[in-house]
Amino acid sequence: MNRLFLSLFLTVCLVTTSCSGQKQKEGQTEVLIETTAGEIRVRLYNDTPGHRDNFLSKIRDGKYDGTLFHRVVRNFMIQAGDPDTRPGEVKDTTKAVERIPAEIAFPKHFSQRGVLAAARDEDYKNPERASDKYQFYIVTGKTISDDDLNGYEAARQEKYADKIYERKVEKNKKKINELRSERKRDELGYYLQDLMNEARREAADNPPLTYPTKVRRAYKTHGGAPWLDDDYTIFGEVVEGMKTVNTIQKTPTNANEVPLREIRIIRMTIIE
């Protein structure tokens, strides 16, 4: 009887918990990342299916095996996954990258400590914020104050206002050109200022980014990198192995944020 009970108990534990003792959420896939610095276990989100399936496909094909952590920034993040980067080499940002569509879900997913997210190239080349098909990063970050979060909100709102202003200028280009051709400089200045004021009011009425109480509490308590929010796709989180992540982020780097000693992904294993 005792032997039967123990067998049933162990079976239930294997189904409902991970090796770390954390409950494994039903239907969510986990991945074990074995590195030369230790192991990291991540859980992938189902509401970012494009990124989840792309990540799993690369793992099944062995694309990440042997790749480097090619960029490390203290109190920010560790980045890996590029199959073309060589030891000591700075990533070539001019090279065309393979992309997948963004699946940004802020504030449900935000850049708190321990999240797994997709890297991408700059806005001017990639206004759709599409993700690199290979490169990913794990956030380490730092604790953030309410004042800092308020500042990030204000900066994002100002940037949004600038975009609205640019659209208004384009829409009213005919009148603006007429004022310029007639050399009505004062009138043109007042007109452009009115457009800017309108843009700022519209941005204030519909701010592009605000931090809910729950998100603010997480940043103040656990930390993260809120300046990335609403710009990058977050598709998973570390459930075990933040000690390894911290070890990697503390490795010395050169001026280009490239680690001075090689840290590699040995292999990734999908935990079914």
Side-chain angles (χ1 to χ4, degrees), residues 24 41 92 114-115 145 156 159 186 193 230 261 265:
Q24 186 163 352
R41 184 165 174 153
D92 182 3
V115 296
S145 69
R156 193 65 65 91
K159 185 177 179 181
D186 290 343
Q193 186 60 55
D230 205 33
R261 67 180 179 89
I265 294 171

Side-chain angles (χ1 to χ4, degrees), residues 161-177:
D162 288 342
K163 289 183 179 179
I164 297 174
Y165 172 71
E166 290 170 6
R167 291 198 295 268
K168 288 180 178 293
V169 167
E170 184 64 27
K171 183 178 179 181
N172 295 279
K173 185 183 291 186
K174 182 178 179 181
K175 182 171 182 177
I176 290 170
N177 287 338

